[in-house]
mmCIF file of all heavy atoms in Angstrom:
data_model
loop_
_atom_site.group_PDB
_atom_site.id
_atom_site.type_symbol
_atom_site.label_atom_id
_atom_site.label_comp_id
_atom_site.label_asym_id
_atom_site.label_seq_id
_atom_site.Cartn_x
_atom_site.Cartn_y
_atom_site.Cartn_z
ATOM 1 N N ARG A 7 -61.617 -140.675 -46.075
ATOM 2 C CA ARG A 7 -61.197 -141.899 -45.288
ATOM 3 C C ARG A 7 -59.952 -141.582 -44.547
ATOM 4 O O ARG A 7 -59.770 -142.022 -43.364
ATOM 5 C CB ARG A 7 -60.953 -143.059 -46.241
ATOM 6 C CG ARG A 7 -60.630 -144.333 -45.421
ATOM 7 C CD ARG A 7 -60.287 -145.601 -46.372
ATOM 8 N NE ARG A 7 -60.101 -146.675 -45.603
ATOM 9 C CZ ARG A 7 -58.983 -146.996 -44.984
ATOM 10 N NH1 ARG A 7 -57.984 -146.213 -45.108
ATOM 11 N NH2 ARG A 7 -58.761 -148.061 -44.318
ATOM 12 N N SER A 8 -59.029 -140.946 -45.151
ATOM 13 C CA SER A 8 -57.699 -140.654 -44.470
ATOM 14 C C SER A 8 -57.918 -139.785 -43.299
ATOM 15 O O SER A 8 -57.406 -140.084 -42.160
ATOM 16 C CB SER A 8 -56.839 -139.855 -45.572
ATOM 17 O OG SER A 8 -55.473 -139.663 -44.905
ATOM 18 N N ALA A 9 -58.821 -138.765 -43.341
ATOM 19 C CA ALA A 9 -59.142 -137.949 -42.129
ATOM 20 C C ALA A 9 -59.804 -138.861 -41.098
ATOM 21 O O ALA A 9 -59.490 -138.670 -39.879
ATOM 22 C CB ALA A 9 -59.958 -136.891 -42.589
ATOM 23 N N ARG A 10 -60.689 -139.776 -41.548
ATOM 24 C CA ARG A 10 -61.311 -140.589 -40.554
ATOM 25 C C ARG A 10 -60.281 -141.528 -39.821
ATOM 26 O O ARG A 10 -60.388 -141.748 -38.642
ATOM 27 C CB ARG A 10 -62.482 -141.347 -41.209
ATOM 28 C CG ARG A 10 -63.692 -140.554 -41.397
ATOM 29 C CD ARG A 10 -64.870 -141.408 -41.930
ATOM 30 N NE ARG A 10 -64.594 -142.306 -43.015
ATOM 31 C CZ ARG A 10 -64.689 -142.060 -44.263
ATOM 32 N NH1 ARG A 10 -64.954 -140.795 -44.646
ATOM 33 N NH2 ARG A 10 -64.378 -142.968 -45.185
ATOM 34 N N VAL A 11 -59.455 -142.097 -40.619
ATOM 35 C CA VAL A 11 -58.404 -142.946 -39.955
ATOM 36 C C VAL A 11 -57.509 -142.226 -39.022
ATOM 37 O O VAL A 11 -57.245 -142.536 -37.957
ATOM 38 C CB VAL A 11 -57.509 -143.641 -41.162
ATOM 39 C CG1 VAL A 11 -56.277 -144.242 -40.589
ATOM 40 C CG2 VAL A 11 -58.326 -144.631 -41.900
ATOM 41 N N GLN A 12 -57.030 -141.050 -39.471
ATOM 42 C CA GLN A 12 -56.284 -140.127 -38.615
ATOM 43 C C GLN A 12 -57.003 -139.836 -37.283
ATOM 44 O O GLN A 12 -56.475 -139.953 -36.132
ATOM 45 C CB GLN A 12 -55.826 -138.861 -39.243
ATOM 46 C CG GLN A 12 -55.013 -138.060 -38.337
ATOM 47 C CD GLN A 12 -54.436 -136.723 -39.082
ATOM 48 O OE1 GLN A 12 -54.555 -136.636 -40.289
ATOM 49 N NE2 GLN A 12 -54.019 -135.909 -38.211
ATOM 50 N N ALA A 13 -58.200 -139.481 -37.399
ATOM 51 C CA ALA A 13 -59.010 -139.096 -36.204
ATOM 52 C C ALA A 13 -59.167 -140.410 -35.386
ATOM 53 O O ALA A 13 -59.046 -140.244 -34.070
ATOM 54 C CB ALA A 13 -60.323 -138.554 -36.568
ATOM 55 N N SER A 14 -59.549 -141.475 -35.857
ATOM 56 C CA SER A 14 -59.651 -142.679 -34.959
ATOM 57 C C SER A 14 -58.336 -143.129 -34.390
ATOM 58 O O SER A 14 -58.443 -143.543 -33.222
ATOM 59 C CB SER A 14 -60.440 -143.782 -35.806
ATOM 60 O OG SER A 14 -59.525 -144.335 -36.756
ATOM 61 N N VAL A 15 -57.327 -142.990 -35.079
ATOM 62 C CA VAL A 15 -56.015 -143.442 -34.475
ATOM 63 C C VAL A 15 -55.605 -142.484 -33.438
ATOM 64 O O VAL A 15 -55.173 -142.856 -32.371
ATOM 65 C CB VAL A 15 -55.042 -143.631 -35.650
ATOM 66 C CG1 VAL A 15 -53.617 -143.791 -35.061
ATOM 67 C CG2 VAL A 15 -55.262 -144.761 -36.520
ATOM 68 N N HIS A 16 -55.685 -141.151 -33.700
ATOM 69 C CA HIS A 16 -55.358 -140.121 -32.674
ATOM 70 C C HIS A 16 -56.190 -140.247 -31.447
ATOM 71 O O HIS A 16 -55.680 -140.265 -30.335
ATOM 72 C CB HIS A 16 -55.637 -138.767 -33.266
ATOM 73 C CG HIS A 16 -54.491 -138.254 -34.090
ATOM 74 N ND1 HIS A 16 -54.159 -136.990 -34.195
ATOM 75 C CD2 HIS A 16 -53.630 -138.875 -34.969
ATOM 76 C CE1 HIS A 16 -53.028 -136.809 -34.891
ATOM 77 N NE2 HIS A 16 -52.749 -137.920 -35.464
ATOM 78 N N THR A 17 -57.523 -140.575 -31.580
ATOM 79 C CA THR A 17 -58.371 -140.816 -30.418
ATOM 80 C C THR A 17 -57.893 -142.020 -29.663
ATOM 81 O O THR A 17 -57.861 -142.027 -28.428
ATOM 82 C CB THR A 17 -59.835 -140.962 -30.893
ATOM 83 O OG1 THR A 17 -60.203 -139.718 -31.493
ATOM 84 C CG2 THR A 17 -60.707 -141.252 -29.776
ATOM 85 N N ALA A 18 -57.586 -143.095 -30.379
ATOM 86 C CA ALA A 18 -57.085 -144.281 -29.692
ATOM 87 C C ALA A 18 -55.836 -144.083 -28.951
ATOM 88 O O ALA A 18 -55.750 -144.521 -27.778
ATOM 89 C CB ALA A 18 -56.910 -145.441 -30.832
ATOM 90 N N VAL A 19 -54.953 -143.339 -29.484
ATOM 91 C CA VAL A 19 -53.623 -142.996 -28.761
ATOM 92 C C VAL A 19 -53.991 -142.226 -27.508
ATOM 93 O O VAL A 19 -53.464 -142.609 -26.410
ATOM 94 C CB VAL A 19 -52.678 -142.263 -29.616
ATOM 95 C CG1 VAL A 19 -51.518 -141.661 -28.822
ATOM 96 C CG2 VAL A 19 -52.208 -143.069 -30.766
ATOM 97 N N ARG A 20 -54.749 -141.269 -27.576
ATOM 98 C CA ARG A 20 -55.091 -140.414 -26.431
ATOM 99 C C ARG A 20 -55.842 -141.192 -25.380
ATOM 100 O O ARG A 20 -55.478 -141.123 -24.128
ATOM 101 C CB ARG A 20 -55.862 -139.217 -26.696
ATOM 102 C CG ARG A 20 -55.170 -138.155 -27.552
ATOM 103 C CD ARG A 20 -55.869 -136.850 -27.699
ATOM 104 N NE ARG A 20 -57.182 -137.026 -28.290
ATOM 105 C CZ ARG A 20 -57.462 -136.969 -29.609
ATOM 106 N NH1 ARG A 20 -56.527 -136.906 -30.377
ATOM 107 N NH2 ARG A 20 -58.692 -137.100 -30.042
ATOM 108 N N GLU A 21 -56.828 -142.143 -25.770
ATOM 109 C CA GLU A 21 -57.560 -142.901 -24.774
ATOM 110 C C GLU A 21 -56.597 -143.911 -24.049
ATOM 111 O O GLU A 21 -56.649 -144.002 -22.929
ATOM 112 C CB GLU A 21 -58.699 -143.574 -25.427
ATOM 113 C CG GLU A 21 -59.802 -142.704 -25.874
ATOM 114 C CD GLU A 21 -60.872 -143.406 -26.706
ATOM 115 O OE1 GLU A 21 -60.639 -144.536 -27.124
ATOM 116 O OE2 GLU A 21 -61.896 -142.757 -27.019
ATOM 117 N N LEU A 22 -55.872 -144.585 -24.833
ATOM 118 C CA LEU A 22 -54.974 -145.643 -24.376
ATOM 119 C C LEU A 22 -53.883 -145.038 -23.472
ATOM 120 O O LEU A 22 -53.487 -145.699 -22.531
ATOM 121 C CB LEU A 22 -54.394 -146.508 -25.535
ATOM 122 C CG LEU A 22 -55.379 -147.419 -26.244
ATOM 123 C CD1 LEU A 22 -54.840 -147.988 -27.485
ATOM 124 C CD2 LEU A 22 -55.691 -148.529 -25.324
ATOM 125 N N ALA A 23 -53.321 -143.946 -23.911
ATOM 126 C CA ALA A 23 -52.282 -143.267 -23.084
ATOM 127 C C ALA A 23 -52.874 -143.044 -21.733
ATOM 128 O O ALA A 23 -52.244 -143.154 -20.623
ATOM 129 C CB ALA A 23 -51.741 -142.020 -23.785
ATOM 130 N N SER A 24 -54.086 -142.549 -21.658
ATOM 131 C CA SER A 24 -54.793 -142.235 -20.319
ATOM 132 C C SER A 24 -55.090 -143.434 -19.628
ATOM 133 O O SER A 24 -54.949 -143.543 -18.359
ATOM 134 C CB SER A 24 -56.168 -141.382 -20.760
ATOM 135 O OG SER A 24 -56.793 -141.158 -19.519
#
Side-chain angles (χ1 to χ4, degrees):
R7 181 180 186 283
S8 184
R10 286 191 305 274
V11 167
Q12 179 176 346
S14 67
V15 170
H16 278 213
T17 298
V19 168
R20 289 190 307 272
E21 289 173 354
L22 287 166
S24 177

